[in-house]
């Protein structure tokens, strides 16, 4: 079973109250001209569910990527040197 991951979704446009309400367990922030939605997904099924919710709201995904924690980045940096 895959470990939970923190994912950042960037969608076109500004957040509305409806958009914020659709993602109660995620952070929804304005970053003009986009909206950033960040949260933890337990598995691929939940990831696809979030993408389906974004589509159902009529939002266009600009980008999506996994957000690494500071500790992971520091460990990776230590291995590179």
């Amino acid at each position: 079973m895959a470990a939970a991951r923190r994912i950042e979704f960037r969608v076109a446009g500004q957040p509305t109250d409806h958009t914020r309400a659709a993602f109660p367990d995620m952070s929804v922030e304005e970053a003009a001209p986009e909206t950033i939605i960040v949260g933890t997904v337990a598995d691929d099924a939940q990831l696809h569910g979030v993408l389906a919710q974004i589509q159902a709201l009529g939002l266009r995904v600009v980008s999506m990527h996994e957000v690494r924690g500071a500790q992971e980045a520091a460990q990776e940096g230590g291995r590179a040197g």
Side-chain angles (χ1 to χ4, degrees):
M1 179 176 211
R5 317 171 283 216
R6 194 154 173 82
I7 305 292
E8 176 185 285
F9 304 87
R10 284 186 177 256
V11 298
Q14 301 305 298
T16 64
D17 290 340
H18 186 68
T19 301
R20 290 180 195 283
F23 303 100
D25 297 330
M26 301 181 103
S27 167
V28 180
E29 301 295 329
E30 181 177 342
E34 300 167 346
T35 296
I36 301 173
I37 303 168
V38 180
T40 300
V41 296
D43 53 28
D44 286 347
Q46 188 177 9
L47 173 64
H48 287 278
V50 173
L51 288 169
Q53 181 71 8
I54 289 170
Q55 182 180 25
L57 291 168
L59 302 173
R60 183 176 60 85
V61 175
V62 175
S63 70
M64 179 189 85
H65 70 275
E66 186 171 350
V67 179
R68 296 176 46 184
Q71 184 177 7
E72 289 174 303
Q75 290 173 347
E76 188 68 25
R79 284 186 227 138

